[in-house]
Amino acid sequence: MPQLAPHIHSVPESGIRRIFEMAYALDDVLMLAVGEPDVEVAPEILRAGSDAWLADETDYSPNGGLLVLREALVRKLARENDVVVDTEQVWVTCGGMQALYLAMSLTLAPGDEVLIPDPGYSTFAMNAAMISALSVPYPLRRDNDFLPDLDELRRLVTPRTRMIIINSPSNPLGAIFPEQTLRALVEFARENDLWILSDEVYEAFSYEAPHVSVASLDADDRVFSVFSLSKTYALTGVRVGYLVTPPGLTSTMRTAQEAMISCVNTPAQLAALVAVEGDHKHVEAAAVHYRQNLDAATALLDARGIEYLRPSGAFYLWVDVGYATGGDVAEWAERFLLDKRVAVAPGSAFGREGEGWIRICVAAGLDDLLEGIRRLPEPAREVSDAPTAQRVGVTVRLAHPDEHDELGRQRLEAYRLEFTIGDDYAMQILDVPHHATVGEVWVAVDDESGRILGSVTTPRPGELLTPLGRPGEFDFRLLAVDPESRGRRVGSILTDFVIDLARRRGAERVVMNSGTDMTTAHGLYERRGFSRMPDRENPPGIEPSRAYGLDL
């Protein structure tokens, strides 16, 4: 019997897909292993694809894609990426996967070396092996803030090195390389005459700073850029991406595309056209949703004492579970799936530096996400003082809609204990659904019983909560503790959570714009370093006015 080509056996198996396929053979699994957006596709995109099928728009398109789509992508690149190209540099592909493979097969010969991030997307190494090239990992380590070490990169270069892959925002890390780091990598590539393959699939989800495309920093046409509609528009199964090439490759690209796929199916391209040229409200809403999930998940990880990399992009959490894995996180992830029914991606699937870590996808339902994190084993803690000990067993998370009535009742009872409350203000306190639409309602929950112990309302990322809020401030409201939970330091836990959340979101000051005279709460704020802000006045009709602020 004929044998397969020898190099095929060197292609590494996907550790992510292994967990994924195991999970689908089980019942009641919380799926946090794969990057599958949980948001709905915009209706106009679905209609465009449906209409194309019904109109029998099923003929071949040019190898590079429909001209109208390529022109739309050229405009998008100039508008959003500061990358100016012509249509012959934009090639529509079967997802970002094919774009990656196409770029690597054009530039790497058998035996050539490609520098790939470690941890990094597993397909980078798989593609290299498929074309008989050698992948050379460059480490992204915790002690260097998960950024590349230029001196180490220089030591990895050999006469066979042909390419470096850059992935920002990163899968699996959720990290974003600062612009100065990207510029240094471009200069490194120029010094060593390397191609650059820039994977920018998660460009739409950059939370701390605007996304920077590597090609916008390139002065000598050495960058291939990979983009995808899969994550941005929640179109993972539609398989549309695009590769942006240096100029002058039209004939070569046409031949390579014909040999691989001929062209992407036409209805998918017409749906992609509507996605790219749409108003992007669904994309913006998805970014807010993922950021809220990230905030809730990191708050729970903090409460449980589990370390992680604070993400600045994408929709993943890189979580350190080395205290539990015994040096084999892949085997641990399989046991965790079988025992706890939670699917997470083992960090070793992304390279040697991922040992002891897991990747959690937060593009999931919030309840599933938080429950999955609750099932993680908790590291041993050293209790250094009494206040810390009292925090054990309380988790802060976003409130669920079916908890709003109970929160309103708790708030009313808490505020009545402190002062006489008028009818109008009582109605404001009870209106938790409204608070949840203008801000984020967080609850402190007893881990053992699940009982709600208290709540607080904070602004959504990048927004203000009250008319008194000012740019740069984090203006929280309505911190209330269930009277039955007095003595458990719930108020302290919620206040410390608010301060930490404000710091993580880059606020300059935390402000409690209070229309109450709650002596207990204000004493708590003062012990945390808040001070009275006599220049603040509440809107007419709400008395007395007391605003407290803390500079961060």
Side-chain angles (χ1 to χ4, degrees):
M1 177 179 176
Q3 299 296 306
L4 296 176
H7 74 277
I8 291 300
H9 301 292
S10 69
V11 179
E13 180 186 9
S14 170
I16 310 166
R17 275 283 163 177
R18 176 171 172 77
I19 289 288
F20 178 79
E21 290 171 6
M22 285 179 63
Y24 266 86
L26 302 172
D27 296 325
D28 302 322
V29 171
L30 301 176
M31 179 57 75
L32 306 177
V34 294
E36 182 68 68
D38 69 318
V39 297
E40 294 182 353
V41 178
E44 60 271 21
I45 300 174
L46 297 175
R47 280 195 299 271
S50 175
D51 289 348
W53 278 108
L54 294 174
D56 194 19
E57 297 278 358
T58 54
D59 294 340
Y60 285 122
S61 78
N63 291 133
L66 295 170
L67 180 58
V68 64
L69 175 57
R70 298 172 80 185
E71 289 173 341
L73 292 171
V74 166
R75 293 191 294 271
K76 175 265 179 187
L77 288 163
R79 181 179 65 247
E80 299 178 19
N81 302 88
D82 197 25
V83 174
V84 179
V85 294
D86 59 42
T87 55
E88 290 303 303
Q89 292 174 254
V90 179
W91 294 78
V92 182
T93 58
C94 287
M97 296 276 209
Q98 191 228 331
L100 287 169
Y101 185 81
L102 182 56
M104 293 175 75
S105 64
L106 289 170
T107 53
L108 299 173
D112 283 348
E113 297 173 357
V114 52
L115 298 168
I116 66 172
D118 178 8
Y121 186 39
S122 56
T123 300
F124 299 152
M126 296 171 74
N127 281 349
M130 283 290 292
I131 55 179
S132 298
L134 301 176
S135 55
V136 178
Y138 63 89
L140 304 175
R141 299 191 178 97
R142 188 205 313 239
D143 58 8
N144 196 40
D145 296 325
F146 294 94
L147 297 177
D149 182 322
L150 269 294
D151 290 335
E152 192 162 20
L153 271 171
R154 292 185 181 98
R155 290 194 294 271
L156 293 173
V157 173
T158 75
R160 297 295 298 174
T161 308
R162 295 286 182 268
M163 171 182 277
I164 180 171
I165 297 178
I166 302 172
N167 179 205
S168 177
S170 163
N171 173 13
L173 298 176
I176 292 178
F177 290 178
E179 183 173 338
Q180 64 187 32
T181 299
L182 296 177
R183 289 187 180 278
L185 290 171
V186 171
E187 177 60 21
F188 163 79
R190 188 193 66 78
E191 290 172 355
N192 294 280
D193 196 25
L194 304 180
W195 292 107
I196 297 174
L197 179 53
S198 179
D199 179 346
E200 302 179 29
V201 165
Y202 294 90
E203 59 170 333
F205 307 119
S206 179
Y207 307 117
E208 307 300 336
H211 173 69
V212 176
S213 286
V214 177
S216 70
L217 311 175
D218 175 37
D220 52 2
D221 298 329
R222 65 179 65 251
V223 178
F224 288 83
S225 303
V226 172
F227 299 90
S228 174
L229 277 68
S230 293
K231 313 298 183 179
T232 303
Y233 305 101
L235 294 171
T236 52
V238 175
R239 313 309 304 138
V240 178
Y242 53 104
L243 177 67
V244 182
T245 75
L249 298 181
T250 301
S251 178
T252 300
M253 287 296 300
R254 187 178 295 119
T255 301
Q257 189 82 322
E258 175 69 17
M260 285 187 184
I261 63 164
S262 181
C263 60
V264 174
N265 83 80
T266 300
Q269 292 191 63
L270 291 171
L273 174 63
V274 171
V276 172
E277 297 206 311
D279 60 19
H280 284 67
K281 288 181 179 177
H282 275 69
V283 179
E284 294 165 5
V288 170
H289 167 58
Y290 301 147
R291 182 57 187 265
Q292 289 174 338
N293 277 9
L294 283 168
D295 286 340
T298 54
L300 179 53
L301 289 168
D302 287 336
R304 304 197 65 220
I306 300 174
E307 295 186 5
Y308 59 92
L309 170 64
R310 194 170 300 282
S312 48
F315 44 59
Y316 300 111
L317 270 171
W318 190 241
V319 180
D320 184 356
V321 291
Y323 56 86
T325 61
D328 189 347
V329 71
E331 193 273 338
W332 177 88
E334 291 186 15
R335 281 191 289 106
F336 186 55
L337 171 61
L338 295 173
D339 295 345
K340 300 296 185 180
R341 290 300 195 265
V342 181
V344 295
S348 56
F350 303 97
R352 182 176 298 176
E353 293 296 326
E355 181 56 58
W357 296 76
I358 57 172
R359 188 196 71 177
I360 294 176
C361 176
V362 305
L366 182 59
D367 288 347
D368 285 355
L369 172 62
L370 297 182
E371 179 58 30
I373 291 174
R374 288 191 194 98
R375 296 183 192 179
L376 290 174
E378 192 164 303
R381 301 198 198 197
E382 292 184 9
V383 178
S384 58
D385 53 39
T388 302
Q390 293 176 37
R391 289 169 183 261
V392 175
V394 178
T395 295
V396 180
R397 61 163 172 79
L398 285 169
H400 305 153
D402 61 3
E403 296 170 333
H404 289 173
D405 289 345
E406 171 63 11
L407 292 180
R409 183 196 67 77
Q410 284 189 9
R411 287 178 168 184
L412 192 61
E413 292 303 316
Y415 278 64
R416 275 179 173 156
L417 283 177
E418 299 282 355
F419 66 103
T420 302
I421 186 167
D423 291 341
D424 289 344
Y425 196 56
M427 292 307 297
Q428 293 183 38
I429 291 171
L430 286 167
D431 195 4
V432 180
H434 173 69
H435 306 154
T437 62
V438 300
E440 298 173 335
V441 179
W442 298 88
V443 291
V445 179
D446 183 279
D447 288 343
E448 207 169 298
S449 66
R451 187 169 68 84
I452 297 173
L453 309 177
S455 61
V456 65
T457 301
T458 67
R460 291 185 296 213
E463 299 181 6
L464 298 174
L465 183 60
T466 74
L468 293 180
R470 299 176 185 177
E473 292 184 348
F474 193 86
D475 53 330
F476 70 103
R477 297 276 287 180
L478 295 169
L479 188 151
V481 177
D482 181 4
E484 296 181 9
S485 301
R486 293 292 176 92
R488 293 194 60 181
R489 303 188 70 253
V490 177
S492 296
I493 292 172
L494 287 170
T495 303
D496 290 344
F497 167 78
V498 167
I499 294 170
D500 181 63
L501 187 61
R503 286 197 176 103
R504 284 189 276 136
R505 292 186 180 175
E508 299 170 0
R509 175 186 285 178
V510 185
V511 175
M512 176 58 166
N513 287 319
S514 176
T516 72
D517 194 9
M518 295 181 69
T519 306
T520 302
H522 292 150
L524 171 64
Y525 304 148
E526 289 173 348
R527 289 193 296 275
R528 290 297 186 279
F530 285 75
S531 58
R532 277 292 310 276
M533 302 170 64
D535 60 317
R536 295 296 172 96
E537 295 182 0
N538 274 320
I542 300 178
E543 293 293 344
S545 172
R546 270 198 163 186
Y548 280 76
L550 172 68
D551 291 329
L552 299 177

